[in-house]
Amino acid sequence: MGREIWAIPTLRLDRAPMIAYLTSLIIFSGIFALFGLGLNLQWGLTGLINFGHVAFMTIGAYTTILLSLQGWPIVLAVAIGAGLAALLGLLVGISTLRLREDYLAIVTIGVSEVVRLVALNEEWLTRGARGVYGYPLPLAQVPDAPWVAPVAIALWTGIFGAAGWSLWRWFRQALRSRQQAAQGQVTGTTQQPPSKGRLVLGGISALLGLLLYGCGAIALWDFNYKGGLMLLVVAVLGLVYWQLEQLGRSPWGRVLKAIREDEEIARALGKNVFWYKLQSLMLGGAIAGVAGSFYAWNLTFINPDGFIPLMTFQAWTIVVLGGAGNNAGTLLGSVLFWGYTTLTRFVLPALLPLDDARLGAFRLMVIGLILVVLMMWRPQGILGKKEELTLGQ
């Protein structure tokens, strides 16, 4: 289920292996939530079928670490990596977006393999199968001072506090809408009030958020590189999520939704459908490129085998599980996906007398079965809206 390699550079955290593992779990969940948000923008919001999303992550990861090895500032290296990932989206979009959606799906699969094979064979640039290691890491040089942990925990609390406030506002609005609907009042909107099931799922999400906050705060109290990376991942994820929410509610986002539903209507209204699709593909690719930077920093070693097509379908699993077109659903889907990965890694070996290879295949089969059941029960995903379901239309 993806590369599961992480290094714990301090001895203090080794005395708390469970916290160390939970920290890595939060980091992986955050990275793949960021990765999934890029795909959700392309497919969930715009309707673009991208089966080669890992190519953008590969470009971002390799660009960031290779430039940082040459002495470039890390922030600038990440920006250039995201820019090159967006440029890849531009090149793919120019050649395919005027054609049928099937061609985009086929081309993106091929592009992802081309990018991986270039990374594998161009050893002068990427060191090939030997991989790259020993590159600069963010927050690795934070001083061991008594003020570091309290500041980190304060920032962590601020991030989750903002998320909790947003969730509380949603709950309050949802309850008010249900009360007005029950009283037969006019709400001034054509949207249906959230069902009881969505309210229950929102409550479960809140409890899950409290659990993540507690685990992260404990890890940050004994601050080290992994704790700092966890804080940085969640901070960037929160910023990207907030911006995507703003864009989704803006006129630009409404045009993307119109294209997803019926691009001929959007074109008849005078919108440049090709240009909007291109923007979506490029922005989603840039977000995946940033996720690739964090992926490389977390592993502290990358090679082309770490960017296989399976990673794209993990992102698809996360988006479909949480609900296409719903950014909060992507976050929830990532947490549930990596929670499932962790749980089955410990539980299945005790229940089934299988070797590692067969256990890995069985875990993939089980998550496939879960997706089939979910599609029969809630084809729109856990937090998705049925009226926005576009797959198959």
Side-chain angles (χ1 to χ4, degrees):
M1 306 296 290
R3 292 182 61 83
E4 299 162 352
I5 305 172
W6 44 75
I8 307 300
T10 65
L11 296 176
R12 291 181 296 172
L13 195 57
D14 292 340
R15 294 198 295 264
M18 182 57 68
I19 296 300
Y21 194 83
L22 288 175
T23 301
S24 291
L25 179 60
I26 294 173
I27 293 173
F28 269 105
S29 298
I31 291 171
F32 274 80
L34 194 60
F35 188 44
L37 284 175
L39 180 62
N40 188 52
L41 173 63
Q42 296 169 346
W43 178 63
L45 209 65
T46 318
L48 302 176
I49 301 177
N50 178 6
F51 287 152
H53 198 50
V54 70
F56 302 112
M57 175 182 266
T58 308
I59 294 292
Y62 270 100
T63 301
T64 299
I65 63 175
L66 292 175
L67 289 179
S68 61
L69 280 172
Q70 297 299 319
W72 290 63
I74 288 180
V75 175
L76 183 57
V78 173
I80 294 175
L84 289 180
L87 178 61
L88 177 64
L90 174 66
L91 297 176
V92 172
I94 287 176
S95 61
T96 60
L97 288 180
R98 296 188 187 277
L99 305 175
R100 293 188 320 184
E101 294 179 354
D102 305 10
Y103 291 99
L104 175 63
I106 294 170
V107 169
T108 51
I109 293 176
V111 168
S112 68
E113 277 300 283
V114 168
V115 171
R116 188 183 68 83
L117 290 174
V118 167
L120 179 63
N121 292 291
E122 300 301 323
E123 297 189 5
W124 63 272
L125 178 64
T126 65
R127 302 183 188 175
R130 294 175 298 161
V132 187
Y133 55 90
Y135 41 83
L137 302 172
L139 302 180
Q141 304 299 324
V142 174
D144 188 11
W147 56 267
V148 172
V151 170
I153 293 176
L155 292 173
W156 185 256
T157 303
I159 294 169
F160 276 83
W165 171 248
S166 178
L167 186 60
W168 164 247
R169 290 177 58 189
W170 179 84
F171 264 111
R172 188 172 59 183
Q173 180 62 36
L175 291 174
R176 185 181 296 118
S177 298
R178 287 185 59 82
Q179 290 173 356
Q180 292 175 344
Q183 296 171 2
Q185 299 178 4
V186 178
T187 62
T189 177
T190 58
Q191 294 182 352
Q192 296 294 324
S195 63
K196 289 183 179 179
R198 283 178 62 83
L199 291 175
V200 171
L201 289 172
I204 294 174
S205 300
L207 293 176
L208 192 58
L210 287 174
L211 176 63
L212 293 175
Y213 168 76
C215 294
I218 294 173
L220 289 173
W221 186 253
D222 192 14
F223 190 87
N224 54 35
Y225 167 66
K226 283 294 180 177
L229 184 62
M230 176 187 67
L231 177 61
L232 190 59
V233 167
V234 174
V236 172
L237 175 62
L239 179 62
V240 171
Y241 172 83
W242 175 65
Q243 288 294 322
L244 287 178
E245 284 290 287
Q246 298 296 317
L247 287 174
R249 290 192 290 266
S250 69
W252 183 79
R254 290 195 289 271
V255 171
L256 294 186
K257 292 179 181 179
I259 293 172
R260 177 193 64 193
E261 298 300 327
D262 192 335
E263 67 178 66
E264 293 302 326
I265 293 178
R267 187 175 287 110
L269 292 174
K271 303 300 181 181
N272 189 336
V273 171
F274 173 77
W275 176 234
Y276 277 96
K277 284 183 175 181
L278 200 58
Q279 292 177 44
S280 176
L281 192 62
M282 292 173 63
L283 182 56
I287 294 171
V290 175
S293 301
F294 282 109
Y295 185 68
W297 292 334
N298 187 43
L299 297 183
T300 68
F301 166 82
I302 64 168
N303 68 0
D305 290 339
F307 299 95
I308 57 178
L310 177 63
M311 294 185 65
T312 294
F313 292 97
Q314 287 175 348
W316 274 91
T317 300
I318 288 169
V319 173
V320 172
L321 182 63
N326 190 301
N327 293 318
T330 300
L331 304 187
L332 179 61
S334 181
V335 173
L336 293 178
F337 176 81
W338 284 100
Y340 161 84
T341 302
T342 301
L343 182 63
T344 54
R345 184 181 298 113
F346 291 113
V347 173
L348 286 182
L351 298 178
L352 300 174
L354 299 175
D355 55 39
D356 291 342
R358 288 185 173 85
L359 277 175
F362 184 78
R363 288 161 66 194
L364 283 175
M365 183 181 70
V366 170
I367 199 168
L369 179 62
I370 292 173
L371 283 176
V372 170
V373 173
L374 178 66
M375 290 297 98
M376 296 174 62
W377 171 56
R378 284 185 65 87
Q380 71 272 29
I382 296 176
L383 296 182
K385 297 179 181 179
K386 198 166 186 178
E387 59 269 22
E388 294 187 358
L389 184 64
T390 60
L391 185 63
Q393 291 187 356

